[in-house]
Structure formats: structure tokens, C-alpha cells
Amino acid sequence: MTDQRDDLKDDDKTGISRRTFLGATAAAGVAGAGLSSGMIPGIKNAEASSKTNANGLKFHVDPGELDDYYGFWSGGQSGEVRILGVPSMRELMRIPVFNRDSATGWGQTNESKRILGDSSEFMNGDTHHVHGSYTNGTYDGRYLYVNDKLNTRVARIRMDIMKTDKIVTVPNVTSIHGIRLQKYPKSGLIFANGEMIIPQPNDGRDLETPANYWTMLSAIDGETMEVVWQIIVDGNLDNVDTDYTGKYACSTCYNSARGVTLPEMMGPERDWAVVFNIPAIEAAVKAGKYKTIGDSKVPVIDGRGAEKGGSKFTMYVPVPRSPHGLNTTPDGKYFIANGKLSPTVTIIEIAKVDQWFAGKFKDPRDAVIAEPEVGLGPLHTTYDGRGNAYTSVFLDSQVVKWNIQDAISAAKGKKVNYIRQKLDVHYQIGHTKATMAETNEADGQWLVALCKFSKDRYLPVGPLHAENDQLIDISGDEMKLVHDGPTFPEPHDCIMMRRDIVRPARLWSRDDPYFAETVAMAKRDGVVLEKENKVIRDGNKVRVYMTTTAPTFGLSNFKVKKGNEVTVVITNIDQIEDLHHGFALTNHGVNIEIGAQATASVTFTANKPGVHWYYCSWFCHALHMEMSGRMLVEA
Ligand code: CUK
Ligand code: CUA
């Protein structure tokens, strides 16, 4: 990993803040003049004016103050991931993943196209679930993983540079919805739910024979991002979570009738939560007891058999029909499935899952130890680490706080009210998530309600409304709504991570694998990227290498012929944190970001004879406007 920092509040690692640099160079009018001047204290804590609420938790983050948590939000139809500060709910950054990004050139640079791979033909995605990598049951700050429901992909984001670094298209399934990571000893495996059922293989056969449509859970290696095995199930897979020993994944599974129309899907009274026995599946794969489907080489295991309660790989726990969210309690004791159409949540005891797989009892339903009623339309549940659960109820537009042990006692006949509080949210809530809730360090400080609707809550902005991510203080006995946060549609889910876990780089490292292939290409061309400005002509191909340092490009012009395939490779040799340059080529749709110490490249065809200016598109210097050059295209 590249440059990492010990203390967020230190000033720039290089000892030169961007502010110092810009101020000094603006005065001197030349690059580099500010390098020896002193630091400007960048960040101050303004404790005096902090606002607290009735629970005493500070929710107002003053200018210059830092948030306590990083929030990672999926971006829904935008296909991206967003970074928010919590509790301020300030949006800090967007990470393009499956979308195209005009600011950074994601989807346009050669480096990003390599990562997008074959699927770079798609310009979009639909991200629902973002999760952080684990070591020993809690976040380790290495990676984020996110699904693409639209184009059946899973992407990984490196948390040091906060850029997408691998994407895999999952074979044999269509539409990846829920994803979760193995929590112990580390992730390990990424479990991805294929949602919709399709013929196997989906090559034109069985078009009119839905009885032959199936879907699968896929396991992806978190390091290589290769699909290592898949397992066929009865029904459609919705959401998934894992236990805290690395043994199980559990998915909600609807459409047990495997219908293809709504009435067919609504037929049965019960669907399932399916528990996957990971060691049993891995043993079968290792023993070669699998098949492959179509062109795919991925081992496929048969995990069907719901009518018998399951198989040695799967346990089908009956739950009320069309369940949705599935969330493991941070103590690792229970899987909780959310009823959606039923006003209940179903508590499955994981110790009983062990017993069932060991053959100690027959009916998987006996692993359900309580099914408390919480409200209308339960979608997702999150936890405070103090024994309370918080369930989003979509139809009631509420977050319902309830006590897990009390709900279990009530199911055993004890007269006890397990509901602690129902808080109105504004409104039509989808996911809800508490800080660190998906880890064994759930700390019960903040909870976010991701509301799908915000009508009447904000200034109207046309028929399309913002969504409303509401921040709720859960540190005390009572939930307190403290903040409304409008967001661009549609974050489905988010996670919130203590800030000490996240160690972002401040500058690129010259040996970063992100642009290693481009560096290798330069080497083949005999070009030293950090020093040389050179044009290499290779038949119809032209490779233009140049450095940038504020406020100049290494080449003030370069000449090509009409029809040349031009690759421009830029290396930003500035060493100043936050000092990016852009390479924007007019009338060619080219605009990419080059971070300090990074190399980025872009390839296009020069098909218009004439003079075409390129300019720096990221403000970098007092003479930023003058940072430009000409591409001369001969007829
Ligand atoms: S799903 Cu959207 S509200 Cu895709 Cu996690 Cu439940
Ligand atoms: Cu370089 Cu603006």
C-alpha cells in the first residue's frame, strides 16, 4: 500500500500544504517558489461552539473540524460510491465505479478501462450494497466491495487511494443484489446473491420453460476477485449476511415457487432464509464434486432441496413470504430476516444452525427462536452493540428500536414489551444502519435512516426529488433525530466506520500498481516518465509522454497526422498534496485527472486536422489558466 498517515490532524505529509503552495506561488508567480516556506496550520478544533443534543452527543461539526466516522454510501442508479463524514453528513468524495465520471476521467483513462475490462462497454451500473473488508470480525480498512445489480458485477475499491481497482462480471447468474463478506478470520470470500432466475446455461435454451430457470450464490475471492465457486438454490436470492466464525452465509430467498410473474411469485405463504455451509461447500469443490455450466469454468454445487429442508450445503429456514434484509447480530448469535410483507422479523439462532447441519433435528423452522412484530414493512435491521435492534419499517415510515433478548423472552411466553421506541422518519425508509453495526465493535453512536422520499422536506427541485438520509443519535435511551441530509438518488445502503480504521494515502506512490501497466509501456518506449517529454511514433500510433508541474505541461505542443491513434501519457511530478492537474483536450471529449505523483493516460483518434488546444482542467496555480498547449493535426 502507498503512503499512509498516522494522524489525520497533521498537516501535509510533505510539510508543504497546498494552501502554502498556492499562496506563495501566486505571490512569486513561479512554480516551486513556495516549497521552503512554512506551514499554515490547516485544521483546528473548534470545540467551544460544538452543538450537542439531549443525549449529549456532539452532532454539529464546526468548520475545520473533522468527523468521527467515515460513511460509505452506495450511489444506486448513479453507479458510484460516495464518502460522507458522519455526523456532519458532509459529502467528502465520490468514487466512480460502474459509471463514467467527467471529473476524474474514470471510464476514459486507459488505467480505468483496464479495470472495467470487457464490461467497459457499459456506461452505468446500479450499486446497492457497499461493505468494508474484515479481519477478525471488524473492519480492517483495506477494501470496499460493492455490487452492480444492473450488469451483474462486483467491484473492489482500494481504501488507501479510494479508487476502484478490480471488477468482476459474475457468470451463470443475472443481477447481483445482496453482497456480504466473510468476517473471520478475514475476508476472505465475498458472497454475492444472484437475484433473478435464468436458464442454465443462458444460451437460448429453455426460453419458455421457467421450470428450468435457476439462480446461485457466488463466492468471490476477495484478493484475486475471481469467482471461486457457485451454488444453485431454490428461489431468488435477495440480501445476505455472514456469521462471525467464517462458517456461514445466510440469504433471504423469495419466489420459492420460482414464478416469472408477480401473481406466481406471490403464491406460497412461505419463503426462506437459506443458510450456506461454507466449509461443506469448499470440501465438495476441493474433492471435485461439482459441475460447470456452459463456457464457465467456475465449480457449481447443487444446493437445492428446500422441500427436504435443504442439503448438506444448505439449510432452508421457512420465513414469511418475500423476506428482504438479512442482518447478523454483532454478538454473532442470530441471523435476523426482515419480513417486508409480514410485520415481523424472524430470529434464527446460529447455534441451532450448527445443530441442524450436525443432524440433531430435522425441521429447519425449529432454528427460529422468535418472530417479533415490529411494524408494517420491515426491510432492514441494524444494531447498537448493547442488545438492541433497529428495524426500518417502510410502510410505517419509522425506525423501530426493540430489544433482542426481550423479544426472545416474549416468544417463550414471558410478559415483556420488547419494543423500546418507534421514531418517525421522513419517509419511506429503505436501509437503516448504525455506526460499526456490521462488526463485533458495534458502538451504538449514530444511526442513519435512508429515506426514499423527501417530498415537502426540502425546497422542491422539479419532479425528481432528493432522497433524505436522516441522522439519528442512538447513544442514549432514546433515539433523537438530529439532521436531514439530502442525497442524489438513490443510496440503498451505507456503512459507517470509525475514522481511525481508514488510512488514506495523501500522495500517489510512483510504484502504485494502479498505473503499473502504463509505466511498463513507457519503459518499452525507453521513456523516463518523471523526466522526459517525448513523442514516440509507431506506425499509425503516436504516444505522447509529458510531465506536468504547475503551471506547465512538459510539451507546449505536439504534432500528429489525421487518423493517428494518439495516446497521451501525463505524469504529474508535483509533490504537493491536493495538487492535481487535468489534461483536457478541446473538442475531443478528453478530460482526465492526474493526481500529484500519478501517471494517467488516455487514447483517442486525431481525426480533425487543425489546431486543438489542451488545457489543465484542475485549478492548480495562479497561472492555471495559462497552463495549456496545442495539438497540431496535419491533414
Ligand atoms: S435493497 Cu434497496 S432498500 Cu437493494 Cu439493500 Cu433494501
Ligand atoms: Cu495544472 Cu491547472
Side-chain angles (χ1 to χ4, degrees):
M1 297 267 159
T2 48
D3 266 324
Q4 301 205 347
R5 306 200 13 119
D6 288 325
D7 185 355
L8 278 169
K9 289 190 180 178
D10 282 348
D11 210 333
D12 183 10
K13 192 164 189 263
T14 59
I16 309 149
S17 73
R18 183 169 193 254
R19 178 199 292 257
T20 313
F21 180 80
L22 287 172
T25 51
V30 289
L35 292 179
S36 59
S37 61
M39 299 192 303
I40 289 182
I43 295 158
K44 260 188 306 196
N45 264 324
E47 269 143 38
S49 56
S50 314
K51 278 193 197 147
T52 56
N53 69 10
N55 284 342
L57 204 56
K58 224 170 79 191
F59 66 91
H60 185 83
V61 181
D62 286 313
E65 227 187 331
L66 301 181
D67 283 291
D68 293 327
Y69 296 88
Y70 281 90
F72 298 98
W73 258 240
S74 65
Q77 305 90 327
S78 74
E80 65 192 7
V81 166
R82 301 173 193 152
I83 311 177
L84 273 71
V86 177
S88 74
M89 305 294 276
R90 296 179 292 202
E91 186 182 283
L92 306 177
M93 186 47 64
R94 295 179 172 198
I95 306 170
V97 184
F98 303 110
N99 55 321
R100 294 301 175 270
D101 182 44
S102 183
T104 58
W106 179 259
Q108 182 174 82
T109 63
N110 294 321
E111 293 69 35
S112 61
K113 279 183 167 170
R114 272 178 213 127
I115 291 162
L116 284 155
D118 293 342
S119 70
S120 70
E121 64 176 296
F122 301 129
M123 308 293 271
N124 55 4
D126 186 11
T127 55
H128 287 218
H129 303 109
V130 56
H131 297 287
S133 57
Y134 292 83
T135 298
N136 296 335
T138 192
Y139 296 134
D140 59 21
R142 292 180 298 134
Y143 297 116
L144 301 167
Y145 299 86
V146 64
N147 77 304
D148 174 16
K149 175 162 169 160
L150 181 64
N151 297 312
T152 316
R153 292 175 289 183
V154 177
R156 183 175 78 184
I157 292 164
R158 267 174 55 189
M159 289 180 72
D160 58 342
I161 53 171
M162 296 297 181
K163 302 257 188 204
T164 307
D165 88 318
K166 275 187 188 288
I167 295 179
V168 60
T169 300
V170 184
N172 300 331
V173 292
T174 206
S175 206
I176 296 294
H177 187 226
I179 64 163
R180 284 300 176 110
L181 324 184
Q182 216 167 14
K183 300 190 179 93
Y184 187 89
K186 62 185 281 221
S187 27
L189 294 177
I190 317 304
F191 301 106
N193 279 347
E195 186 167 358
M196 288 138 185
I197 51 176
I198 49 170
Q200 299 292 346
N202 195 16
D203 57 1
R205 75 187 67 190
D206 293 336
L207 294 181
E208 313 273 6
T209 320
N212 292 348
Y213 294 5
W214 304 96
T215 192
M216 311 178 197
L217 175 92
S218 303
I220 300 164
D221 183 304
E223 281 302 322
T224 64
M225 291 297 279
E226 279 164 18
V227 183
V228 290
W229 48 258
Q230 297 181 298
I231 179 162
I232 306 182
V233 293
D234 293 297
N236 295 30
L237 294 173
D238 192 357
N239 280 290
V240 55
D241 203 347
T242 58
D243 74 334
Y244 278 85
T245 68
K247 240 186 338 191
Y248 300 121
C250 182
S251 299
T252 46
C253 188
Y254 68 99
N255 190 22
S256 52
R258 293 188 311 102
V260 289
T261 62
L262 186 61
E264 286 168 13
M265 290 187 192
M266 292 294 97
E269 276 298 302
R270 287 208 177 272
D271 286 318
W272 308 290
V274 194
V275 186
F276 298 91
N277 186 330
I278 310 304
I281 296 166
E282 286 180 331
V285 170
K286 212 168 162 201
K289 291 186 183 144
Y290 59 81
K291 57 175 186 168
T292 58
I293 292 175
D295 300 334
S296 158
K297 301 224 158 36
V298 176
V300 176
I301 300 281
D302 191 349
R304 291 170 292 193
E307 71 288 345
K308 312 188 299 288
S311 64
K312 63 180 170 184
F313 311 118
T314 45
M315 172 185 185
Y316 288 80
V317 182
V319 299
R321 115 180 129 211
S322 286
H324 186 57
L326 192 300
N327 306 89
T328 310
T329 54
D331 59 9
K333 285 188 181 162
Y334 310 109
F335 292 130
I336 296 187
N338 296 264
K340 190 167 80 180
L341 303 184
S342 158
T344 55
V345 293
T346 304
I347 307 179
I348 300 164
E349 189 174 10
I350 297 175
K352 295 214 160 130
V353 172
D354 287 332
Q355 292 167 13
W356 186 87
F357 277 114
K360 301 248 168 73
F361 63 95
K362 256 211 106 106
D363 183 356
R365 179 71 195 171
D366 292 342
V368 172
I369 56 164
E371 203 154 67
E373 266 196 41
V374 291
L376 291 183
L379 290 187
H380 298 278
T381 295
T382 191
Y383 308 101
D384 63 9
R386 299 187 296 268
N388 299 306
Y390 301 77
T391 301
S392 56
V393 290
F394 175 79
L395 295 173
D396 283 341
S397 288
Q398 288 178 327
V399 175
V400 178
K401 177 180 177 182
W402 54 279
N403 184 274
I404 301 165
Q405 283 314 319
D406 284 356
I408 294 168
S409 299
K412 288 180 179 147
K414 213 170 145 199
K415 284 231 164 341
V416 52
N417 184 8
Y418 52 84
I419 300 286
R420 292 290 185 268
Q421 188 191 352
K422 295 190 170 192
L423 182 76
D424 288 340
V425 292
H426 195 280
Y427 56 92
Q428 307 287 59
I429 181 173
H431 275 267
T432 187
K433 191 63 64 67
T435 44
M436 298 294 291
E438 299 185 345
T439 75
N440 57 19
E441 297 184 302
D443 62 9
Q445 297 292 293
W446 300 105
L447 176 136
V448 167
L450 298 165
C451 303
K452 306 281 185 192
F453 288 52
S454 72
K455 186 171 84 73
D456 303 332
R457 197 69 171 183
Y458 301 119
L459 286 175
V461 288
L464 181 63
H465 293 258
E467 310 220 342
N468 193 5
D469 298 346
Q470 298 190 290
L471 183 73
I472 295 159
D473 177 354
I474 56 166
S475 65
D477 285 340
E478 235 186 281
M479 293 186 276
K480 304 263 188 206
L481 174 66
V482 299
H483 185 86
D484 271 5
T487 48
F488 187 68
E490 172 185 349
H492 283 251
D493 194 7
C494 69
I495 55 170
M496 287 167 282
M497 221 177 262
R498 281 194 333 263
R499 76 178 195 206
D500 62 282
I501 294 167
V502 184
R503 322 292 283 178
R506 297 297 187 101
L507 287 174
W508 285 89
S509 162
R510 287 297 305 146
D511 54 14
D512 198 294
Y514 188 80
F515 44 76
E517 284 195 44
T518 309
V519 170
M521 178 180 80
K523 212 168 192 179
R524 288 195 298 276
D525 279 339
V527 174
V528 181
L529 283 171
E530 298 81 1
K531 290 205 178 75
E532 291 181 295
N533 298 288
K534 256 190 187 169
V535 179
I536 307 283
R537 296 179 202 277
D538 175 8
N540 188 42
K541 293 185 174 155
V542 180
R543 290 185 287 281
V544 180
Y545 292 94
M546 66 174 110
T547 56
T548 57
T549 177
T552 50
F553 286 107
L555 292 172
S556 61
N557 71 78
F558 62 88
K559 198 182 273 179
V560 298
K561 289 197 168 61
K562 179 179 187 249
N564 280 170
E565 184 196 285
V566 182
T567 298
V568 176
V569 183
I570 310 261
T571 301
N572 179 350
I573 58 174
D574 281 316
Q575 303 208 25
I576 314 299
E577 183 175 337
D578 204 12
L579 194 93
H580 326 283
H581 297 290
F583 177 80
L585 178 61
T586 53
N587 300 324
H588 283 73
V590 169
N591 190 4
I592 65 174
E593 166 235 342
I594 312 105
Q597 292 291 300
T599 293
S601 68
V602 61
T603 299
F604 57 92
T605 303
N607 50 16
K608 288 178 261 192
V611 172
H612 301 283
W613 284 90
Y614 49 88
Y615 65 92
C616 174
S617 53
W618 287 75
F619 190 93
C620 59
H621 193 276
L623 294 171
H624 157 78
M625 292 304 290
E626 287 80 358
M627 185 168 172
S628 59
R630 290 165 303 146
M631 174 172 78
L632 312 172
V633 183
E634 293 176 332

